[in-house]
Amino acid sequence: AAALLAAAAPAWAQQYPAKPVRFIAPFPPGGTSDILCRIIGQKLTEFWGQQVVVDSRPGAAGSVGTEIAAKATSDGYTLLLGNLTPVAINPIIYPKLGYDTLRDFTPVTLVAAAPQLMVVHPSVPAKSVKEFIAHAASKPGALNFGTGGSGTLAHLGGEMFKTLTGVKMVHISYKGTILSINDLIAGQIQVVFSDMPISLPHAKTGRLRALAVTGAKPTPLVPGMPTVAESVPGFVLENWWGVLVPKGVPPAIVGRLNTEIARALAQADVKERYSNLGIEPITSTSPELGALIKSETAKYARVIKDSGAKFE
């Protein structure tokens, strides 16, 4: 019987999908996860002739949507677009989380990577990171930094910035980065360490001012933009996004998803859309994504300990 099942697995994978596929974005509509789900989902729909439906389930720094995906049926018809925060950071911060990434998911592939962008409201009298540090130091506790939720990469970035520079800023938590950017544009807060797809378009139009990228080195995604690390040694903040499925999805389907998503990211129009958003298309094997999750969890456990940050 086992031999017959093994022989049938490739044929089963070729028949997949036989019905619409749900693609969960665990952050609000208009955010980076939602945008990536729609780009990739559109291509998979074209390839398969089956609808890939984006399901935005924001809340608790991505934990709500991630838990929904973890508890879905293991048949390949629920995909999760996870990123660093809900996949690797939240399990460190929240001991009563309704999922365990390594226990409850099978990694499929990476799909994107990018540094964050440090952006301020134009009223902030700083045109460089050094000028921002001086301004913040002159007004201890008066500046607010917004994030997409307690424990998100942007939150850890803000806490790391405070630790490394000694400035005092107040954390303002939102239910998604796009909501913090909306308030930054309105002048309600002063600075955000943001996903580039959300903030870069506003920086280009002058509604926000970009000070630096948060990668270890400058990126061709934003030519000429300095890094935060040039002014704050040791400050590196880089995000990534990957597709995961509930544990128990047949390996043949995981393999087909990996192949088809890589095919989608190789399309010229997808590469152009990624470039315009300020993110890099990147793929991996399932084990490579699993290894990345483990290493990033260890890395940010140290960051959290060093910062002494409190999480709600």
Side-chain angles (χ1 to χ4, degrees):
L4 287 172
L5 285 173
W12 184 17
Q14 289 304 314
Q15 294 168 4
Y16 167 89
K19 62 181 181 179
V21 175
R22 176 171 64 156
F23 202 173
I24 295 178
F27 290 97
T32 306
S33 295
D34 178 70
I35 293 169
L36 290 174
C37 276
R38 295 183 189 283
I39 293 173
I40 297 166
Q42 179 184 344
K43 283 299 174 185
L44 294 180
T45 296
E46 293 174 9
F47 295 163
W48 293 337
Q50 286 287 356
Q51 190 70 31
V52 176
V53 181
V54 176
D55 184 6
S56 295
R57 296 296 188 101
S63 295
V64 171
T66 304
E67 182 175 351
I68 290 170
K71 294 179 178 178
T73 304
S74 301
D75 57 5
Y77 287 92
T78 297
L79 315 179
L80 172 71
L81 197 289
N83 72 17
L84 175 60
T85 295
V87 170
I89 294 175
N90 288 358
I92 308 168
I93 297 170
Y94 305 111
K96 296 182 179 179
L97 207 60
Y99 63 91
D100 179 289
T101 304
L102 298 176
R103 180 194 67 207
D104 297 332
F105 288 99
T106 296
V108 177
T109 180
L110 282 166
V111 297
Q116 305 288 90
L117 190 64
M118 183 179 179
V119 286
V120 299
H121 187 267
S123 65
V124 174
K127 295 185 178 179
S128 69
V129 174
K130 287 185 177 179
E131 289 180 3
F132 179 84
I133 293 170
H135 176 64
S138 71
K139 296 177 174 290
L143 302 187
N144 298 323
F145 74 97
T147 74
S150 179
T152 58
L153 184 62
H155 182 196
L156 294 184
E159 296 295 342
M160 191 191 311
F161 189 85
K162 289 164 57 179
T163 298
L164 293 175
T165 64
V167 302
K168 293 179 170 56
M169 301 188 296
V170 178
H171 174 221
I172 307 296
S173 177
Y174 295 83
K175 290 185 177 181
T177 303
I178 192 168
L179 302 178
S180 68
I181 289 296
N182 289 343
D183 263 14
L184 182 63
I185 292 170
Q188 301 300 312
I189 55 178
Q190 286 71 49
V191 60
V192 175
F193 295 92
S194 168
D195 289 346
M196 286 206 284
I198 300 174
S199 56
L200 186 57
H202 299 299
K204 288 179 177 178
T205 62
R207 300 178 77 186
L208 298 176
R209 181 185 303 126
L211 299 185
V213 294
T214 65
K217 57 185 179 180
T219 171
L221 298 171
V222 191
M225 185 66 62
T227 66
V228 176
E230 292 173 32
S231 301
V232 186
F235 187 98
V236 177
L237 201 66
E238 296 178 307
N239 205 354
W240 48 261
W241 295 260
V243 175
L244 302 95
V245 292
K247 187 73 78 175
V249 170
I253 290 180
V254 173
R256 181 156 191 225
L257 284 167
N258 183 288
T259 299
E260 296 286 70
I261 291 170
R263 178 185 168 199
L265 296 186
Q267 304 298 304
D269 58 334
V270 171
K271 289 181 178 179
E272 182 179 1
R273 292 182 71 180
Y274 266 55
S275 178
N276 290 338
L277 291 168
I279 51 180
E280 177 187 358
I282 182 172
T283 59
S284 71
T285 64
S286 173
E288 285 169 346
L289 177 53
L292 176 65
I293 292 169
K294 289 180 182 179
S295 66
E296 291 285 77
T297 299
K299 170 185 174 181
Y300 282 97
R302 293 192 296 270
V303 170
I304 291 165
K305 181 180 179 180
D306 292 344
S307 72
K310 303 299 180 183
F311 304 97
E312 303 167 0

